[in-house]
Amino acid sequence: MSQNLDSLTDQIRDLAEGRQAPVSLAERALARVQSHAELNAFVAIDEEIVMTQAKAAQLRWQNGAPLSPIDGIPIAVKDNYLTRDYATTACSDAAPLEPAGVDATVVANLRAAGAVIFGKTNMHEWAYGATNTTSNVGVTKNPHNPAHITGGSSGGSGAAVAAGVVAAALGSDTGGSVRIPSAACGIYGFKPSYGRASRHGVLPLSWSLDAPGPMATELQDIVHLMPYFLGADPKDRSTAHAKPFGSLPDVGPLKLINLTGAGLERSAEVDGAVNAALRQSAAQVEQRTLQDIDRYFAAWEAILHCEASAYHQPLLQTRAEGFSPVTRAHLEAGTRLTGVELLTAQKLRGDLIRYLTTDLGDWDALVLPTLPVPAPAHGEDWQEFGNRRVTTQDSMTWFCWLGNLSGLPCVTLPIAKSSKGLPIGMMLMGRPGADEALLAAALRIDHTLKSKG
Amino acid sequence: MTKSLTEDQEKRIAATLKRIRAGLSGAAGDHFGEPSHLFDPEAHDVAKPR
């Protein structure tokens, strides 16, 4: 794995100071794709498409007229975002193979700012899983140890950033798919609040749970990218009242709530790392027990399967064999849930949001590990921790789904390494719509932890 | 013609539904609370100046 990676923030500074040029950034990224080919992070990359964008950006910088501070910076894109130049396959044989000819809104925003849309990254088929081991182009490998998984479903984006191919990449998150591979690969990942980021052009998994989000080398990189994600988009009605990304608020003393309880178990190693980080955070930390996890998880799973089945009905009826066996089983399960069950799930969803935002009182961030275990090895079907034995798939979404069911913004920070040298991440959840406040709190904590080594 | 599901897929579906229904059956909470489905008619009125 590459060490001392250039962050997006470094690249912005270097471009502004003339110490880097878009063409050299693109050439270096293309070389790193080759040198890290064993990770299988990319589904599609076209050198000509990349260099054409980079040369245009370089000309703009030479003319003193860059489109933005990120003009000419390569950014990789998960293969469920529509992109003008590349096909969008969701790593499934059930998807059409023709380029859409249009960009997803987030991609369009980045392209308008001059970012080099670098290539499409490997993902768990249709984002319907969190291991990145089900993909029609094969598994993705973890840059920290290729014998281990990246997590998913944005596993290619996680591997590409962690290996230093690109400083930042796009992911999408329905039950943790930005945060899971970010934590497993030791980088930063952010899931915006529901209703603030446009999902237009990102192939849906579950409309009301999905969120597009950035994955990057440093937390400040996320701050640089948020303006391209947040704000009203007429093509996504959920964002009708969305505010654009604002300035980060000043944060006073932080109050964190460390959530525990049955269903929130984690390995001793992960628990130790999170507790150590909280002790060092200089924040006020209160521990609270979250009840009824099994009910809330059932609500998340019911909504997920019902919405995914509804979206995929046409393909399910005409190209069902194109789905992997497990994905098809998920979709069929969704067709067998009733309307009453879906509404019961939505009622539980409201209960959870009220509990987290109101009943827990005043807080700046809710804290959980991002994953209960470090990245599992390829071929491990089960994980054991805290007197639990669960599938590797379930272990990956163990905590993260809470952020999607509630719609709260979430960020994962790398906080430690395991005894085997694998990254451990800590997740912070913020108040709904308060993405800037969450980032401000996360920056404070990240800075404090780094300053204490 | 779409192939029928395998035995393994049927078992997986049954296990998924059993897990979901076990969780939902315990739902209590606010009896009068409305489900949190989103419905914002104004958001769909794209012709309306904003």
Side-chain angles (χ1 to χ4, degrees):
Chain A
M1 182 196 157
S2 303
Q3 299 296 320
N4 300 319
L5 305 176
D6 273 359
S7 67
L8 184 86
T9 306
D10 293 333
Q11 293 176 348
I12 288 171
R13 182 201 58 221
D14 289 349
L15 282 171
E17 294 176 357
R19 289 195 281 162
Q20 281 282 1
V23 166
S24 59
L25 283 177
E27 287 173 343
R28 192 174 59 178
L30 287 167
R32 285 181 175 170
V33 172
Q34 296 304 318
S35 60
H36 292 288
E38 80 285 357
L39 300 177
N40 201 25
F42 284 88
V43 176
I45 189 155
D46 184 312
E47 188 172 332
E48 188 179 336
I49 291 173
V50 170
M51 293 311 299
T52 299
Q53 296 174 82
K55 287 172 184 171
Q58 186 142 323
L59 200 57
R60 291 191 290 270
W61 279 102
Q62 285 170 348
N63 291 336
L67 295 171
S68 78
I70 65 166
D71 195 350
I73 295 182
I75 294 179
V77 179
K78 185 179 181 179
D79 199 30
N80 62 348
Y81 283 69
L82 296 183
T83 44
R84 207 167 62 194
D85 303 322
Y86 295 103
T88 299
T89 72
C91 291
S92 174
D93 289 337
L97 292 174
E98 302 79 25
V102 295
D103 287 331
T105 292
V106 173
V107 174
N109 292 344
L110 288 164
R111 200 189 291 276
V116 172
I117 305 305
F118 185 69
K120 305 299 285 286
T121 57
N122 200 350
M123 59 181 283
H124 201 112
E125 182 189 29
W126 287 109
Y128 217 156
T131 61
N132 252 59
T133 55
T134 300
S135 160
N136 68 349
V137 295
V139 303
T140 317
K141 296 179 180 176
N142 194 312
H144 291 267
N145 183 339
H148 289 253
I149 67 173
T150 56
S153 62
S154 313
S157 290
V161 173
V165 175
V166 287
L170 309 187
S172 66
D173 192 314
T174 307
S177 287
V178 161
R179 293 161 284 158
I180 292 162
S182 295
C185 295
I187 61 172
Y188 296 81
F190 192 88
K191 182 200 82 70
S193 295
Y194 177 81
R196 280 205 71 184
S198 173
R199 302 156 304 170
H200 174 73
V202 184
L203 298 180
L205 172 57
S206 173
W207 298 288
S208 73
L209 299 169
D210 292 345
M215 302 162 73
T217 312
E218 289 292 342
L219 192 53
Q220 186 62 43
D221 299 348
I222 304 277
V223 177
H224 286 300
L225 291 172
M226 290 315 292
Y228 306 104
F229 282 85
L230 301 192
D233 175 12
K235 296 173 180 171
D236 179 348
R237 306 315 305 161
S238 76
T239 66
H241 309 298
K243 293 174 294 187
F245 186 61
S247 56
L248 301 189
D250 293 331
V251 288
L254 293 174
K255 180 180 177 184
L256 309 179
I257 292 186
N258 183 17
L259 292 172
T260 61
L264 296 179
E265 298 87 352
R266 68 289 307 258
S267 68
E269 191 169 36
V270 168
D271 195 45
V274 170
N275 286 332
L278 290 176
R279 278 195 302 275
Q280 293 176 356
S281 70
Q284 177 193 345
V285 182
E286 187 178 316
Q287 186 165 306
R288 298 288 288 269
T289 301
L290 180 55
Q291 309 283 351
D292 296 329
I293 279 287
D294 288 348
R295 293 176 191 172
Y296 296 133
F297 181 78
W300 171 76
E301 201 174 12
I303 294 166
L304 168 66
H305 294 319
C306 284
E307 293 190 358
S309 296
Y311 172 72
H312 282 296
Q313 269 308 296
L315 280 178
L316 203 53
Q317 291 176 9
T318 57
R319 296 175 72 176
E321 288 75 28
F323 295 104
S324 72
V326 173
T327 300
R328 186 177 171 200
H330 289 328
L331 292 168
E332 295 285 353
T335 67
R336 299 184 194 183
L337 289 162
T338 68
V340 170
E341 286 167 333
L342 178 60
L343 287 171
T344 302
Q346 292 285 22
K347 189 167 176 303
L348 279 165
R349 180 181 219 173
D351 293 346
L352 173 68
I353 297 167
R354 189 176 61 249
Y355 177 77
L356 296 177
T357 58
T358 304
D359 296 354
L360 281 179
D362 190 28
W363 48 263
D364 295 296
L366 305 174
V367 181
L368 285 160
T370 313
L371 299 171
V373 291
H378 284 285
E380 278 183 359
D381 292 332
W382 296 87
Q383 301 298 314
E384 293 184 22
F385 54 87
N387 295 321
R388 292 271 184 170
R389 183 172 187 270
V390 304
T391 63
T392 295
Q393 160 63 33
D394 284 347
S395 75
M396 293 292 95
T397 55
W398 195 246
F399 305 110
C400 286
W401 60 270
L402 279 162
N404 306 84
L405 186 64
S406 63
L408 305 187
C410 304
V411 62
T412 179
L413 321 175
I415 56 166
K417 289 274 185 75
S418 74
S419 57
K420 293 181 178 174
L422 293 163
I424 294 173
M426 181 170 79
M427 177 167 64
L428 306 174
M429 301 200 295
R431 293 193 167 274
D435 300 52
E436 293 87 346
L438 175 63
L439 273 170
L443 280 164
R444 161 85 67 82
I445 292 168
D446 190 54
H447 177 74
T448 303
L449 296 181
K450 282 180 174 169
S451 68
K452 293 183 177 177
Chain B
M1 172 155 173
T2 300
K3 282 186 199 165
S4 55
L5 295 163
T6 64
E7 188 179 336
D8 182 64
Q9 284 174 313
E10 288 289 3
K11 280 183 184 170
R12 188 177 288 273
I13 293 166
T16 299
L17 294 176
K18 184 179 177 185
R19 175 159 82 170
I20 291 172
R21 286 174 174 146
L24 297 182
S25 68
D30 176 7
H31 180 69
F32 297 104
E34 183 178 358
S36 67
H37 45 217
L38 292 170
F39 183 50
D40 181 359
E42 285 187 60
H44 294 268
D45 183 3
V46 292
K48 178 180 170 184
R50 294 187 181 280

